């Protein structure tokens, strides 16, 4: 049983219902009547705007081909009925055990699933039965897919992904009448929580232009360049695609070899500079590195037709040239984060072919160049998925809209990034709290259509970069040609670039490669300031065939992986020289102008709103 702030046991749902007097019930009726009107208004808003998500519609009821994947599971089980029989037997045994427990009053340990943290899910027989039924049926559904043992890896992955999406959507926590926490909140507030939740839903619909755009945070306290992205520096180069920012030194002596960082263009660079206390950029300058970071332009009418080669030539290579000019150095150490690392890999393979030695070493943050084990995102590379995204690009006049990309990544972790907010915001009426990381996450960018198609088809779909069938500036490239020292970092819980996929990328390179595994995921695994003393990381000098074998023999170290990276990078960064302040070239101070472009402003400029 949970407790109140005073330490007394919190009342159960049954006790709260019993305590309702006629006056409270009358007030609740009035509020719920108003909530009903708000609910009708919500439906009107949906119908007046976009009835269906842009990722589907009445002509595309199954936009990603889930039915195709499930059909293959069904055919496999029809061919091997014993496999289905075994799975159903386990389900039947589970149901028998459940009824025996419920009849005998035998309560199991509380669920480890955070969705079911309310004591009612373990102590109230009705809710416990709902929870255990849901968990039992979910396990059965996934076991049925596993029982189809002649599926291809791609078909099994796709079927498991959509089955999990279905299970997550139908969790009893997502429905008002089957969520005890929501019902308690309704009674505590006299129904005001329900009314406020409906109002927030309508506000999010309005913000999304008729499409539900869930608010994950209160964005109003944040301003780029004021309380996020505040590391001092200057824009030292600009073209139509990038701004190159040189950050001010914080030490009198610095390494002679500058550090050039290529962040992903799916989000903005300031994930590396959110706040002073967790800024990687500030930490790097404090260690004596001269840091240059690319700030990508969100795709608009100027850049909507840019290709992968354009991003190599006018992005990576233009930034390299400008970094060398601004620093006076002959070579740099380079960093690629996520898709920025994929781009860097292609650039390095091309440079190796051309005997270009202007990059001395490479570090990759949570980045894939071998996509064979690229995880749940592969579910979107089916023929149906590719066709859908190409149609979406066409509908948006040649641009992959940032809103759709954000939605895609949210649905990779729907429990945390979708349903949690449906429950908190719309069912319990909670207002989202300010959170800088979620502000950054919501500050999405557009992607040029040709660039996105290359990424989806050639890299994810065909794994062409890892298999030597990818061309950069007309030249076929091979990752084994990359002989410079490399450090490849992965996050153990990364759902975008999975650990074993990033490990395959490390083994695909041709030089002396160091692999480091960090605790946590795609963001917190990378951006983990040592002062926070959070998580851990693992090191192992060997690169055995599998990620599992690597981890088995790895040494676990406490805290951030940044100091380990610094120990590796420092000796490759040249002698110490006098630090130079970034030159003011009349292009403006950091964080520049491209980083401040919002999707809503670009849509207005393109006449799409």
């Amino acid at each position: 049983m949970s407790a109140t702030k005073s330490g007394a046991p919190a009342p159960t749902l049954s006790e709260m219902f019993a305590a309702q007097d006629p006056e409270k019930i009358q007030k609740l009726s009035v509020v719920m009547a108003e909530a009903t009107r708000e609910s009708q208004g919500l439906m009107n808003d949906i119908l007046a705007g976009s009835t269906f998500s842009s990722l589907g519609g009445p002509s595309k009821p199954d936009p990603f081909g889930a039915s195709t994947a499930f059909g293959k599971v069904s055919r496999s089980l029809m061919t091997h009925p014993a496999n289905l029989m075994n799975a159903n037997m386990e389900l039947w045994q589970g149901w028998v055990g459940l009824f025996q427990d419920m009849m005998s009053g035998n309560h199991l340990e509380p669920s480890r699933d955070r969705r079911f943290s309310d004591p009612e899910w373990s102590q109230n027989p009705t809710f416990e039965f709902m929870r255990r039924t849901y968990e039992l049926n979910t396990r059965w559904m996934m076991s049925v897919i596993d029982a189809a043992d002649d599926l291809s890896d791609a078909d099994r992955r796709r079927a498991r992904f959509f089955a999990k999406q279905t299970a997550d959507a139908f969790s009893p926590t997502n429905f008002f009448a089957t969520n005890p926490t929501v019902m308690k909140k309704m009674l505590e507030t006299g129904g005001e929580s329900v009314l406020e939740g409906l109002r927030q839903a309508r506000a999010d619909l309005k913000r999304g232009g008729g499409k539900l755009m869930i608010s994950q945070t209160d964005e109003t306290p944040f301003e780029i360049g004021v309380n996020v992205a505040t590391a001092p520096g200057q824009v030292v180069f600009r073209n139509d695609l990038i701004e190159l920012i040189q950050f001010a030194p914080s030490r009198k002596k610095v390494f002679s070899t500058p550090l050039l960082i290529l962040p992903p263009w799916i989000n903005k660079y300031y994930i590396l500079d959110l706040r002073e206390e967790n800024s990687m950029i500030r930490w790097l300058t404090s260690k004596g590195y001269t840091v240059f970071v690319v700030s990508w332009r969100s795709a608009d009418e100027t850049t909507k037709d840019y290709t992968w080669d354009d991003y190599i030539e006018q992005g990576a290579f233009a930034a390299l040239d400008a970094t060398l000019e601004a620093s006076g150095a002959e070579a740099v150490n380079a960093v690629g984060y996520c898709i920025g690392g994929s781009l860097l890999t292609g650039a390095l393979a091309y440079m190796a072919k051309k005997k270009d030695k202007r990059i001395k070493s490479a570090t990759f943050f949570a980045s894939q160049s071998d996509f064979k084990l690229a995880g749940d995102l592969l579910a979107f590379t089916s023929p149906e998925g590719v066709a859908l995204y190409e149609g979406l690009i066409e509908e948006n006049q040649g641009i992959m809209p940032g809103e759709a990309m954000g939605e895609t990544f949210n649905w990779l972790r729907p429990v945390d990034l979708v349903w949690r907010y449906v429950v908190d915001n719309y069912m319990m009426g909670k207002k989202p709290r300010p959170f800088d990381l979620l502000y950054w996450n919501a500050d999405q960018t557009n992607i040029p259509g040709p660039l996105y198609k290359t990424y989806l088809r050639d890299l994810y779909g065909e794994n062409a970069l890892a298999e030597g069938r990818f061309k950069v500036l007309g030249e076929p490239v091979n990752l084994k040609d990359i002989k410079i020292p490399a450090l490849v970092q992965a996050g153990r819980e990364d759902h975008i670039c999975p650990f074993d996929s990033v490990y395959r990328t490390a083994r695909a390179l041709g030089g002396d490669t160091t692999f480091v595994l960090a605790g946590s995921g795609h963001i917190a695994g990378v951006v983990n300031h040592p002062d926070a003393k959070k998580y851990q990381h693992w090191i192992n000098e060997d690169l055995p065939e599998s990620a599992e074998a690597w981890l088995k023999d790895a040494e676990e170290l406490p805290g951030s992986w940044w100091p380990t990276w610094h120990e590796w990078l420092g000796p490759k960064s040249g002698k110490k020289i006098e630090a130079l302040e970034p030159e003011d070239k009349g292009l403006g101070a950091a964080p520049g102008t491209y980083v401040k472009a919002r999707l809503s402003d670009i849509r207005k400029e393109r006449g799409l709103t």
Side-chain angles (χ1 to χ4, degrees):
M1 180 177 293
S2 60
T4 62
K5 291 182 179 180
S6 64
T12 66
L13 183 60
S14 298
E15 291 170 342
M16 292 180 70
F17 269 115
Q20 299 298 305
D21 57 37
E23 184 178 344
K24 288 183 178 179
I25 293 175
Q26 177 63 30
K27 180 181 178 183
L28 181 61
S29 299
V30 172
V31 173
M32 292 307 294
E34 187 175 352
T36 300
R37 291 192 292 272
E38 283 288 340
S39 181
Q40 183 60 50
L42 175 62
M43 291 302 300
N44 291 338
D45 285 347
I46 294 174
L47 294 173
S50 175
T51 306
F52 293 87
S53 166
S54 59
L55 297 184
S59 63
K60 302 174 184 177
D62 182 19
F64 291 109
S67 60
T68 301
F70 292 145
K72 292 181 179 181
V73 173
S74 299
R75 287 192 291 274
S76 173
L77 295 174
M78 290 173 63
T79 307
H80 305 90
N83 293 351
L84 178 59
M85 186 179 300
N86 291 336
N88 287 341
M89 179 62 70
E90 291 180 7
L91 176 64
W92 179 79
Q93 291 172 342
W95 274 99
V96 169
L98 173 58
F99 278 111
Q100 288 176 339
D101 287 341
M102 300 304 295
M103 293 294 292
S104 65
N106 180 28
H107 296 283
L108 298 183
E109 289 293 321
S111 174
R112 295 183 180 180
D113 189 329
R114 289 179 296 176
R115 292 175 292 179
F116 301 108
S117 59
D118 192 304
E120 298 282 345
W121 292 110
S122 300
Q123 298 172 5
N124 184 312
T126 300
F127 288 106
E128 182 187 16
F129 183 77
M130 289 181 194
R131 170 180 66 83
R132 292 182 60 182
T133 298
Y134 167 74
E135 292 173 339
L136 181 62
N137 289 337
T138 297
R139 287 194 299 270
W140 169 80
M141 183 162 57
M142 305 309 289
S143 73
V144 166
I145 296 172
D146 292 338
D149 52 18
D150 57 352
L151 289 181
S152 68
D153 290 343
D155 287 334
R156 187 182 311 282
R157 183 189 306 110
R158 193 169 292 120
R160 285 187 63 86
F161 176 78
F162 290 116
K164 186 66 166 57
Q165 292 284 327
T166 301
D168 289 340
F170 283 95
S171 168
T173 55
N174 295 340
F175 300 92
F176 182 89
T178 55
N179 188 324
T181 310
V182 170
M183 297 175 73
K184 289 177 183 178
K185 188 70 172 179
M186 176 196 71
L187 294 174
E188 288 174 359
T189 63
E192 291 291 343
S193 59
V194 180
L195 193 58
E196 177 59 30
L198 287 167
R199 288 169 177 161
Q200 289 192 57
R202 292 190 69 182
D204 283 350
L205 272 168
K206 183 177 181 180
R207 188 168 64 94
K211 185 175 184 294
L212 189 62
M213 185 178 292
I214 298 174
S215 297
Q216 296 177 335
T217 185
D218 178 6
E219 299 181 14
T220 55
F222 302 107
E223 184 177 350
I224 294 174
V226 176
N227 51 14
V228 293
T230 60
Q234 291 287 331
V235 177
V236 295
F237 174 80
R238 177 186 294 132
N239 62 19
D240 284 344
L241 180 59
I242 68 169
E243 288 180 332
L244 182 69
I245 302 170
Q246 180 182 353
F247 291 93
S250 56
R251 299 178 69 169
K252 293 181 179 180
K253 295 278 189 177
V254 297
F255 291 108
S256 59
T257 302
L259 187 66
L260 171 61
I261 301 178
L262 301 176
W265 52 81
I266 291 173
N267 291 100
K268 295 180 180 178
Y269 87 84
Y270 64 89
I271 187 59
L272 303 175
D273 186 36
L274 275 178
R275 289 171 287 119
E276 289 190 28
E277 58 266 32
N278 67 359
S279 170
M280 176 184 280
I281 290 170
R282 289 178 182 269
W283 184 84
L284 286 167
T285 59
S286 76
K287 295 300 178 183
Y289 296 99
T290 301
V291 180
F292 292 79
V293 176
V294 168
S295 177
W296 300 97
R297 178 176 184 157
S298 185
D300 54 17
E301 286 302 308
T302 299
T303 60
K304 68 177 185 178
D305 296 322
Y306 276 34
T307 65
W308 192 271
D309 279 350
D310 291 324
Y311 270 62
I312 291 275
E313 200 163 31
Q314 299 188 48
F317 288 163
L320 174 59
D321 292 341
T323 298
L324 295 176
E325 179 181 348
S327 65
E330 295 182 353
V332 308
N333 292 316
V335 176
Y337 188 172
C338 188
I339 193 172
S342 306
L343 186 81
L344 175 61
T345 306
L348 289 171
Y350 178 85
M351 293 173 71
K353 200 164 190 175
K354 299 297 183 180
K355 311 299 183 185
D356 187 339
K357 298 181 179 180
R358 292 178 298 161
I359 295 180
K360 295 168 58 177
S361 77
T363 301
F364 299 92
F365 300 164
S367 179
Q368 303 169 107
S369 294
D370 185 322
F371 292 81
K372 184 176 182 179
L373 302 178
D376 286 342
L377 275 171
L378 289 172
F380 299 101
T381 63
S382 65
E384 297 92 340
V386 171
L388 180 71
Y389 280 120
E390 290 181 343
L392 185 58
I393 290 169
E394 184 176 348
E395 290 171 11
N396 285 271
Q397 302 174 17
I399 285 176
M400 180 62 186
E403 297 93 341
M405 285 302 302
E407 186 177 28
T408 298
F409 285 112
N410 283 342
W411 284 104
L412 291 179
R413 291 177 56 197
V415 171
D416 294 327
L417 298 177
V418 178
W419 299 116
R420 168 189 173 186
Y421 296 100
V422 169
V423 172
D424 286 355
N425 297 7
Y426 306 150
M427 294 169 64
M428 297 185 68
K430 293 182 180 179
K431 290 188 179 295
R433 295 180 297 176
F435 186 19
D436 56 357
L437 178 59
L438 289 176
Y439 170 79
W440 167 85
N441 189 57
D443 190 11
Q444 296 139 355
T445 57
N446 294 326
I447 303 174
L451 177 76
Y452 185 78
K453 292 177 184 178
T454 296
Y455 189 44
L456 190 65
R457 282 184 164 183
D458 296 347
L459 274 69
Y460 265 97
E462 301 296 331
N463 201 21
L465 182 56
E467 296 178 5
R469 293 179 285 102
F470 191 77
K471 290 184 177 181
V472 173
L473 301 176
E475 296 278 356
V477 294
N478 191 316
L479 301 189
K480 286 297 180 186
D481 291 340
I482 302 173
K483 305 294 186 182
I484 61 174
L487 185 144
V488 179
Q489 177 270 344
R492 190 169 186 179
E493 300 169 22
D494 195 332
H495 64 290
I496 295 174
C497 297
F499 158 38
D500 52 354
S501 181
V502 178
Y503 185 78
R504 283 183 62 91
T505 295
R507 283 178 50 83
L509 304 177
D512 181 11
T513 302
T514 298
F515 186 78
V516 178
L517 180 65
S520 197
H522 194 68
I523 302 301
V526 174
V527 183
N528 178 23
H529 198 289
D531 290 350
K533 301 185 186 304
K534 292 177 63 176
Y535 311 124
Q536 70 282 90
H537 64 285
W538 293 263
I539 58 173
N540 181 353
E541 293 182 359
D542 296 328
L543 286 177
E545 186 171 345
S546 71
E548 182 179 356
W550 181 92
L551 183 58
K552 180 181 178 182
D553 295 328
E555 177 185 2
E556 181 176 340
L557 301 174
S560 173
W561 66 279
W562 294 4
T564 296
W565 177 37
H566 176 48
E567 290 178 9
W568 179 87
L569 183 62
K572 299 171 178 61
S573 299
K575 63 182 181 179
K576 290 293 184 73
I577 61 173
E578 293 291 332
L580 293 177
E581 290 291 330
E583 182 182 351
D584 183 353
K585 298 192 174 184
L587 300 175
T593 58
Y594 287 172
V595 74
K596 296 179 180 179
R598 304 286 290 188
L599 291 182
S600 57
D601 297 331
I602 295 174
R603 290 184 67 83
K604 288 179 182 177
E605 290 174 2
R606 303 184 72 220
L608 297 178
T609 56

